[in-house]
């Protein structure tokens, strides 16, 4: 039987090279040998201050990038977290068996609490509990994530372990699957590539925009003059280059050390390689974006398939924790309200 993969990403809109190399590329590959569920975690997006008007667009743009990159909605389930509300129910149940001490120790919590001191909310503390509910609801065993999520997964295993101890074997323990390129440094040359830091290269940008952004990149800080010999090992442009041209990088490194190529020349070469590599992606993205209602259909279908799994897990869970007094529980009816 195929192992089940679950991964979630906050809806951050158009994706960048760091997202692609660090996560999306891996999502695509995993589809070959696993049953994959990829979720846009829009509820997690609300653990830090948000603008209600931005969510829909951010979900749409991110999913467009996923699909253009090769996530196949026929093989994989692609859906929006809030469309399967059982996750909030499981989150509540998990919150009853998760000691507060476990949550207050999580490094990402401390970091967010420092970053947004006015927003140290109940929901923020529970972020990893909701993440555990995501994974457990679908009984996934493999979770492709970056280094920064390993602590969350450790906690997820502790929570499901405790649940299993208290109520009987229910959930498998999820394992992280680290990506090949755990950390892509941004154009500033020293921090992780991120949209908030503005040091990113958007996948869907035009070739000229891409070139102009790459020309702003920081390079080897020790190389001041064009005639100085460069140090490719401490140059982020070179580092980025190596992702796109494993063969040609040797020659570039040699030319850089010999000062026979300058930093601007190097950036022009990088821009060319990035644009070549992204051309098919960009073509597919434009094509998918032009199909009216396509992303919406993918997400609707994904939510339906996810819902079926979620419902079966929750029936089992409610029974086990003693909340299912089925003879009394009224059947679900629709509100009848249409808009
Ligand atoms: N915490 C993850 C992040 O910030 C997003 C996420 C939410 C997730 N639920 C998940 C990742 C479940 C993997 C599995 O990137």
């Amino acid at each position: 039987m195929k192992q089940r993969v679950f991964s979630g990403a906050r809806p951050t809109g158009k994706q960048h090279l760091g997202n692609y190399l660090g996560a999306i590329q891996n999502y695509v590959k995993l589809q070959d040998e696993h049953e994959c569920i990829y979720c846009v975690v829009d509820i997690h997006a609300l653990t830090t201050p948000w603008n209600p008007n931005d969510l829909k667009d951010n979900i749409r743009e991110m999913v467009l990038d996923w699909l253009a990159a090769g996530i196949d909605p026929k093989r994989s389930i692609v859906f929006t977290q809030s469309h399967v509300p059982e996750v909030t129910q499981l989150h509540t149940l998990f919150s009853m068996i998760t000691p507060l001490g476990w949550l207050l120790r999580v490094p990402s919590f401390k970091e967010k609490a420092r970053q947004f001191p006015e927003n140290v909310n109940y929901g923020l503390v529970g972020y990893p509990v909701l993440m555990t509910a995501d994974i457990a609801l679908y009984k996934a065993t493999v979770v492709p994530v970056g280094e920064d999520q390993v602590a969350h997964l450790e906690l997820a295993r502790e929570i499901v372990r405790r649940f299993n101890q208290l109520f009987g074997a229910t959930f498998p323990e999820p394992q992280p699957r680290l990506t090949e390129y755990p950390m892509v440094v941004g154009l500033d040359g020293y921090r992780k590539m991120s949209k908030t830091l503005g040091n990113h290269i958007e996948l869907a940008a035009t070739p000229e925009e891409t070139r102009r952004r790459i020309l702003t990149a920081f390079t080897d800080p020790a190389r001041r003059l064009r005639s100085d010999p460069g140090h490719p090992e401490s140059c982020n442009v070179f580092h980025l280059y190596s992702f796109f041209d494993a063969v040609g990088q040797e020659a570039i490194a040699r030319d850089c050390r010999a000062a026979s190529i300058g930093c601007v020349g190097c950036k022009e070469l990088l821009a060319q390689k990035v644009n070549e590599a992204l051309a098919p992606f960009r073509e597919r993205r434009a094509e998918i974006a032009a199909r009216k209602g396509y992303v919406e259909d993918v997400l609707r279908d994904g939510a339906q398939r996810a819902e079926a799994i979620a419902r079966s897990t929750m029936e089992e869970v409610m029974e086990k924790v003693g909340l299912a007094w089925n003879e009394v529980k009224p059947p679900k009816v629709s509100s009848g309200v249409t808009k």
Side-chain angles (χ1 to χ4, degrees):
M1 238 188 63
K2 282 186 179 176
Q3 284 202 308
R4 187 174 282 162
V5 166
F6 184 100
S7 195
R10 272 170 294 177
T12 48
K14 287 190 174 146
Q15 301 293 282
H16 56 68
L17 222 47
N19 301 129
Y20 181 74
L21 295 169
I24 302 171
Q25 173 177 252
N26 202 32
Y27 288 3
V28 173
K29 276 197 215 131
L30 283 164
Q31 298 179 115
D32 294 336
E33 278 159 24
H34 300 78
E35 186 191 330
C36 298
I37 304 179
Y38 297 126
C39 179
V40 183
V41 293
D42 56 347
I43 308 175
H44 276 103
L46 314 189
T47 54
T48 47
W50 76 98
N51 182 343
N53 300 320
D54 295 342
L55 280 170
K56 208 193 286 177
D57 269 352
N58 284 340
I59 295 170
R60 197 188 137 74
E61 295 294 341
M62 183 161 91
V63 172
L64 269 174
D65 282 335
W66 282 4
L67 299 173
I71 291 181
D72 174 1
K74 292 215 171 61
R75 283 191 287 165
S76 303
I77 294 179
V78 180
F79 79 108
T80 307
Q81 187 183 32
S82 65
H83 290 165
V84 183
E86 278 83 354
V87 75
T88 59
Q89 211 173 1
L90 188 55
H91 167 254
T92 302
L93 294 177
F94 281 164
S95 77
M96 308 300 176
I97 60 164
T98 306
L100 202 47
W102 290 3
L103 299 173
L104 298 177
R105 272 200 302 272
V106 174
S108 62
F109 169 71
K110 292 196 210 157
E111 194 186 303
K112 282 274 169 1
R114 220 175 303 127
Q115 202 181 347
F116 301 101
E118 281 89 57
N119 194 64
V120 186
N121 300 321
Y122 185 45
L124 182 67
V125 185
Y127 185 107
V129 184
L130 182 57
M131 183 166 157
T132 306
D134 277 328
I135 301 163
L137 189 57
Y138 304 99
K139 299 194 175 182
T141 51
V142 179
V143 184
V145 285
E147 210 87 64
D148 60 328
Q149 297 295 316
V150 170
H152 285 157
L153 275 182
E154 225 160 87
L155 196 61
R157 283 196 298 280
E158 283 182 286
I159 295 172
V160 304
R161 219 175 281 148
R162 177 170 273 210
F163 186 98
N164 291 343
Q165 263 160 18
L166 290 167
F167 307 109
T170 309
F171 300 111
E173 290 186 17
Q175 298 298 332
R177 175 75 60 93
L178 290 180
T179 48
E180 235 173 290
Y181 304 117
M183 163 99 151
V184 180
V185 172
L187 296 172
D188 56 8
Y190 71 102
R191 289 178 298 184
K192 184 173 165 169
M193 189 177 284
S194 113
K195 199 167 189 162
T196 9
L197 295 174
N199 62 358
H200 61 298
I201 303 170
E202 225 166 57
L203 297 173
T206 65
E208 188 46 32
E209 274 162 12
T210 305
R211 179 177 164 269
R212 256 187 284 121
R213 285 196 60 78
I214 289 177
L215 285 173
T216 69
F218 279 78
T219 54
D220 170 10
R223 188 177 184 191
R224 312 260 300 283
L225 301 171
R226 169 71 180 75
S227 54
D228 289 344
H231 310 85
E233 61 286 349
S234 53
C235 173
N236 192 42
V237 167
F238 179 74
H239 177 68
L240 285 170
Y241 191 89
S242 62
F243 289 129
F244 294 93
D245 187 8
V247 178
Q249 61 167 326
E250 296 290 325
I252 302 267
R254 196 179 342 102
D255 293 349
C256 170
R257 286 198 188 95
S260 57
I261 185 172
C263 294
V264 175
C266 234
K267 292 183 205 179
E268 292 283 6
L269 280 176
L270 173 63
Q272 210 178 315
K273 288 290 172 194
V274 170
N275 283 329
E276 269 171 32
L278 290 178
F281 164 89
R282 287 168 174 168
E283 207 175 296
R284 241 182 342 239
R285 192 186 199 278
E287 193 232 309
I288 299 171
R291 280 195 238 163
K292 220 171 170 315
Y294 181 68
V295 171
E296 291 79 353
D297 288 344
V298 164
L299 291 176
R300 194 176 297 115
D301 173 67
Q304 241 155 28
R305 287 152 67 198
E307 174 74 43
I309 306 172
R311 216 172 261 179
S312 123
T313 305
M314 284 319 288
E315 266 172 36
E316 181 188 353
V317 166
M318 297 295 267
E319 191 69 45
K320 282 188 166 153
V321 302
L323 280 179
W325 192 3
N326 284 326
E327 303 85 277
V328 175
K329 199 176 166 212
K332 263 200 183 141
V333 287
S334 105
S335 67
V337 178
T338 50
K339 265 208 325 195

